[in-house]
Amino acid sequence: MSRSGRALIATLMVLAGCLAGAGEAEAGSLKAVVSAAEAPFFEQPDDGSRVKMVLKAGEPIALNEATRKGFYYGRTRAGELGWVRMLDVRIIGRFDPSQAAGAPAQQAAVQAGDRDPSKKKRPWRLIGGYGMNGFAHSDIVAQSEPGILESGGGTVGLEIDYWLRPEWAFGLKVNYLFQNLALILLDPLGTSEVNGTFQTSAFESVVGARYRFPLSEMVRLELGLFGGMGFLAKVRAEEETGGFTEVRGTGYVLHVDAGIEIELSRRHSLFGQMGYHAFKGSQIIPTFGQTNFSEDSALFTDPAAIDLTGLAVMLGVAIRLPW
């Protein structure tokens, strides 16, 4: 082979090496999240290579489509370059080519739930929801004569969350609880049944935190823990004749739930949750109504506590802000 031919081949080999290196340097054509609990981020595509950092479940990462020895070459949210095992990540989408190369600032802005990193992030989320509960746990029922409870209760709530990180949020919730149940009591002489109603209502304000991780590009699982105070709470048992026994007060609230968010667009999503709700108040001497100017002896007379505790389910719509 002539000297000029050998020189041409050498030049082509150098160019090929440069192009391959550029492909790695531009790691980021694929959107992915870490699917393992912990994923080592290696310096080279080898399990024996130096671990530069450990990525946590749910962290976003931009990856090159080409793989080597079971590894992806990628860029972390902080802009760090390295190799991650294919089994430790899940592909959720693809970047626009103009964003994939040479745009570490935009890639660093990619967070779970942000489908378009070129747009302004929306760390606030407002949730409005309606739910069902079956509390009916109060001394006012326990002290009444054996009867029948029917139907259930409801909850109307408003929650606002601020996402400090893609997986962690601080939240504030305000709920209104209500319940109207049919109640059958014995009359004061204990000889016949008296139809009545069991009514409960309360407001509560709680603060807490939410943790989420993606199940897919549009579906996320969330866990929440909230605590706070309940106020303007009322529990009332009333006979059809108009006599009643009632307690009013405040109490402590604890709420634990697991929820699913389904993203409909960059701003809107559906939200559903199921959890355990506890509203505990201190014992209070009841207030009595009168029937025919006499105390309602068919209703309880001992001190009572507001106790709204049990499973609760809520469905709602979420809006991410700023608009």
Side-chain angles (χ1 to χ4, degrees):
M1 182 180 294
S2 65
R3 180 178 303 176
S4 60
R6 289 195 297 269
L8 177 60
I9 292 176
T11 301
L12 291 175
M13 292 178 64
V14 171
L15 288 174
C18 293
L19 290 174
E24 288 188 357
E26 295 171 359
S29 60
L30 297 176
K31 290 181 182 180
V33 294
V34 176
S35 57
E38 292 185 343
F41 197 56
F42 297 97
E43 190 172 68
Q44 298 295 330
D46 190 327
D47 285 327
S49 173
R50 183 177 72 88
V51 176
K52 304 178 73 172
M53 64 194 322
V54 177
L55 306 177
K56 301 297 183 180
E59 286 193 41
I61 183 171
L63 302 175
N64 193 306
E65 283 190 79
T67 61
R68 183 185 300 180
K69 301 179 183 179
F71 286 79
Y72 279 115
Y73 187 78
R75 185 193 304 273
T76 67
R77 182 172 49 193
E80 188 75 25
L81 294 173
W83 297 84
V84 63
R85 287 190 291 253
M86 295 174 63
L87 295 177
D88 290 342
V89 295
R90 181 174 68 253
I91 306 301
I92 61 174
R94 180 181 296 274
F95 287 105
D96 185 282
S98 62
Q99 299 174 357
Q106 286 186 347
Q107 293 171 13
V110 177
Q111 298 185 13
D114 291 332
R115 302 176 67 183
D116 187 352
S118 66
K119 304 295 183 181
K120 188 175 183 179
K121 293 188 296 182
R122 291 171 170 78
W124 293 92
R125 182 180 66 178
L126 182 66
I127 301 175
Y130 174 80
M132 300 295 294
N133 61 61
F135 300 146
H137 297 297
S138 172
D139 291 343
I140 207 167
V141 175
Q143 295 180 30
S144 65
E145 297 293 339
I148 299 176
L149 287 175
E150 301 173 351
S151 183
T155 302
V156 178
L158 190 65
E159 176 180 340
I160 185 166
D161 300 318
Y162 179 77
W163 293 94
L164 304 171
R165 299 187 58 186
E167 65 275 15
W168 285 104
F170 170 81
L172 169 66
K173 299 175 66 173
V174 178
N175 293 330
Y176 172 66
L177 314 175
F178 59 93
Q179 197 167 35
N180 294 285
L181 308 175
L183 183 66
I184 298 179
L185 302 171
L186 297 178
D187 66 5
L189 299 178
T191 57
S192 62
E193 294 181 340
V194 176
N195 293 324
T197 59
F198 173 83
Q199 303 170 359
T200 302
S201 62
F203 291 89
E204 60 185 26
S205 177
V206 294
V207 296
R210 287 198 175 279
Y211 175 79
R212 73 177 178 187
F213 50 92
L215 299 179
S216 69
E217 186 177 2
M218 298 179 64
V219 181
R220 303 172 189 86
L221 175 64
E222 297 186 3
L223 303 176
L225 175 63
F226 292 82
M229 291 291 297
F231 52 96
L232 296 180
K234 178 183 72 174
V235 177
R236 177 186 180 110
E238 182 175 333
E239 294 183 73
E240 60 182 351
T241 55
F244 66 88
T245 305
E246 179 179 287
V247 294
R248 294 174 177 264
T250 60
Y252 296 100
V253 178
L254 175 66
H255 185 87
V256 181
D257 66 68
I260 293 288
E261 183 185 29
I262 303 175
E263 186 176 339
L264 302 178
S265 69
R266 291 176 51 250
R267 297 185 180 93
H268 307 92
S269 57
L270 298 178
F271 191 85
Q273 65 177 214
M274 174 179 290
Y276 178 80
H277 176 278
F279 184 141
K280 299 283 188 178
S282 57
Q283 287 198 335
I284 301 172
I285 298 176
T287 299
F288 300 99
Q290 290 188 340
T291 302
N292 297 327
F293 304 102
S294 63
E295 187 177 278
D296 294 309
S297 57
L299 306 177
F300 74 94
T301 58
D302 298 332
I306 296 174
D307 186 353
L308 306 177
T309 302
L311 294 178
V313 178
M314 179 170 284
L315 300 175
V317 177
I319 301 174
R320 281 179 290 280
L321 304 172
W323 189 261

